[in-house]
Amino acid sequence: MAKKIIVTGGAGFIGSNFILKHITDDSISIVNLDKLTYAGNLRNLESIADHPRYKFVRGDIADRELVRQLLREHKPSAIVHFAAESHVDRSIRGPEDFIKTNVNGTFALLEETRAYWTELSQEDRQAFRFVHISTDEVFGSLGPADSPFSETTQYAPNSPYAASKAASDHVVRAYHHTYGLSVLTTNCSNNYGPFQFPEKLIPLMILNARSGKALPVYGDGKNVRDWLYVEDHCEAIATVLRRGQPGETYNVGGWNEKPNLEIVHTICDLVDEMSSRLQKPRRELVTFVKDRTGHDRRYAMNASKIERELGWKPKETFESGIRKTVHWYLEHENWVQDVTSGSYRQWIETHYSA
Ligand code: NAD
Ligand code: DAU
């Protein structure tokens, strides 16, 4: 069946990877609604800007009038909702935008979707899907011996970012339980890969290592994250869209827990190998800095439900994924120049000066 999908936040890291992959499917048309905050970058989608089955609309998910008009005009059979403020450190410095977009924006999108969906024929109503992209951070922090998060782990969000995503997950859930809207939620672990804004650990470390700058590791560097290559996440989302059970949530992860310092060392070695050598090994650029306030110690995902019920599992190993990623950043100088000017420089100066 031909599908028209509205993607929100498609100019960001994961959304643009998702669009680039799925626009290659002839049966899919995509409308990308994105506000283009500092994190949104149309350069990511340059290669498909004039594609006949792709359309970009600049706008805010909280703008109900605009969302209403887009739904009426494009009559989508699915919405894939990525749009969010996504950086934990920014949420600590200024939580307001996180509540505005992640909570109020998601609510506005759901309300307009509900109004649109109610008017559809019974057949179209049944076929309609709203996929909400969420995070493992809603589950809080694990101790070293705790089992990984499952779909039934109690929510315990610790940062304003995590709390705003947890709130949105609850509202999404309620729209299924109360109104019968076919929502599905994915809670995913840390992604890495092309087009990630270099405020996040992996691209920041690649770019600093390349230029011989200090590599700011928070605290003791022993915080653990579960890393997943972005294309695997996008495939998990497409699988949930195609075969997921409405009302269900699916944990997505890489079965790949690693302490931050190990990630940074791996990046240093790869940059040493792929780029011009410095006087000293790049590992020596590591600088331990003040810890993130309320820094969650460990995340780990039990992704067996999506594997068992929908047949998804990650394809990329960390070794191959991180190699491709380092190579991509070193090869895409123009993209890097573009995103590391202006407000990016200001963020780096403010955040790492104390
Ligand atoms: P990102 O910050 O790279 O991109 C977010 C995009 O949303 C940007 O293009 C931005 O312009 C857009 N946006 C922000 N506010 C908007 C608004 N009010 N209206 C319309 N567009 C708006 O984020 P990302 O890393 O691609 O994450 C995408 C989603 O996946 C988020 O919901 C995030 O919580 C979730 N997630 C991310 C990760 C990760 O590791 N990056 C892991 C799990 C889940
Ligand atoms: O777990 C999923 C989440 O992963 C997503 O929901 C978020 O949107 C995404 O930003 C990411 O959150 P993290 O806080 O885990 O990612 P970040 O890249 O900011 O940090 C990863 C780890 O590295 C974390 O323990 C903090 C540490 N860190 C980060 C930066 C930016 C450093 O040690 N130094 C740094 O300069």
Side-chain angles (χ1 to χ4, degrees):
M1 190 188 70
K3 270 197 179 303
K4 183 158 254 188
I5 302 175
I6 293 187
V7 167
T8 71
F13 164 47
I14 306 173
S16 56
N17 276 285
F18 180 86
I19 293 175
L20 289 172
K21 175 87 207 284
H22 293 288
I23 203 70
T24 59
D25 177 341
D26 289 347
S27 67
I28 290 178
S29 311
I30 295 176
V31 176
N32 173 15
L33 170 63
D34 196 298
K35 187 178 171 183
L36 297 184
T37 66
Y38 77 93
N41 184 358
L42 286 182
R43 231 178 209 274
N44 302 359
L45 297 158
E46 219 164 44
S47 60
I48 58 156
D50 299 320
H51 194 292
R53 285 182 284 101
Y54 169 73
K55 182 179 164 68
F56 173 71
V57 177
R58 184 174 191 176
D60 193 326
I61 53 165
D63 179 348
R64 289 185 56 169
E65 193 73 42
L66 172 66
V67 172
R68 189 175 313 146
Q69 180 225 311
L70 285 178
L71 289 166
R72 281 209 194 111
E73 183 185 339
H74 296 287
K75 302 189 176 27
S77 53
I79 294 179
V80 182
H81 176 36
F82 294 96
E85 289 293 336
S86 70
H87 190 36
V88 173
D89 293 319
R90 287 186 191 252
S91 84
I92 295 167
R93 284 182 184 266
E96 193 168 352
D97 283 346
F98 289 73
I99 303 301
K100 278 190 183 150
T101 287
N102 301 0
V103 185
N104 298 339
T106 300
F107 167 70
L109 186 65
L110 280 168
E111 264 301 84
E112 288 307 322
T113 303
R114 179 167 77 92
Y116 160 75
W117 171 78
T118 309
E119 302 287 305
L120 293 176
S121 68
Q122 199 190 345
E123 194 190 339
D124 288 348
R125 239 188 350 257
Q126 264 174 6
F128 184 84
R129 297 286 183 272
F130 183 104
V131 183
H132 174 60
I133 312 306
S134 192
T135 170
D136 58 0
E137 303 206 9
V138 299
F139 299 119
S141 185
L142 293 167
D146 291 340
S147 303
F149 303 128
S150 77
E151 287 78 2
T152 54
T153 302
Q154 195 177 336
Y155 273 33
N158 288 321
S159 70
Y161 163 69
S164 68
K165 291 297 290 186
S168 69
D169 291 8
H170 291 319
V171 185
V172 167
R173 175 191 150 90
Y175 272 63
H176 177 72
H177 191 80
T178 305
Y179 304 114
L181 187 69
S182 294
V183 304
L184 304 106
T185 297
T186 57
N187 293 91
C188 188
S189 62
N190 286 62
N191 285 214
Y192 68 100
F195 302 121
Q196 186 167 32
F197 193 75
E199 62 189 354
K200 308 281 167 64
L201 181 75
I202 287 185
L204 179 84
M205 295 297 163
I206 297 172
L207 298 184
N208 280 15
R210 181 199 60 168
S211 316
K213 291 187 187 152
L215 305 176
V217 172
Y218 298 163
D220 61 5
K222 292 187 181 149
N223 299 67
V224 171
R225 298 290 183 264
D226 172 0
W227 294 94
L228 179 70
Y229 191 63
V230 63
E231 284 181 14
D232 278 325
H233 185 194
C234 292
E235 195 46 46
I237 293 165
T239 304
V240 167
L241 175 60
R242 278 195 296 267
R243 296 200 287 276
Q245 184 63 31
E248 290 293 312
T249 68
Y250 296 91
N251 281 5
V252 183
W255 302 102
N256 181 47
E257 287 183 58
K258 290 196 189 296
N260 293 337
L261 193 57
E262 187 180 325
I263 298 284
V264 175
H265 281 160
T266 303
I267 291 170
C268 289
D269 297 348
L270 286 168
V271 178
D272 277 343
E273 180 195 316
M274 294 184 200
S275 171
S276 49
R277 293 239 161 209
L278 301 177
Q279 308 281 28
K280 55 183 183 181
R282 284 178 166 85
R283 284 182 182 222
E284 290 181 28
L285 297 170
V286 167
T287 310
F288 291 95
V289 299
K290 188 169 158 284
D291 208 355
R292 173 184 280 174
T293 315
H295 197 175
D296 284 340
R297 193 65 175 165
R298 174 179 165 236
Y299 304 143
M301 276 307 223
N302 177 342
S304 47
K305 176 178 170 182
I306 187 169
E307 180 173 347
R308 193 177 58 247
E309 294 185 6
L310 307 183
W312 173 89
K313 59 180 179 192
K315 293 198 179 103
E316 199 75 50
T317 64
F318 186 71
E319 289 64 34
S320 61
I322 193 69
R323 182 169 275 281
K324 279 205 247 185
T325 303
V326 171
H327 187 253
W328 189 89
Y329 282 89
L330 297 179
E331 290 293 301
H332 286 77
E333 188 55 40
N334 288 345
W335 186 91
V336 170
Q337 290 293 337
D338 207 42
V339 298
T340 53
S341 57
S343 68
Y344 173 78
R345 288 214 185 105
Q346 214 179 332
W347 163 255
I348 296 292
E349 269 161 37
T350 320
H351 185 61
Y352 294 99
S353 65

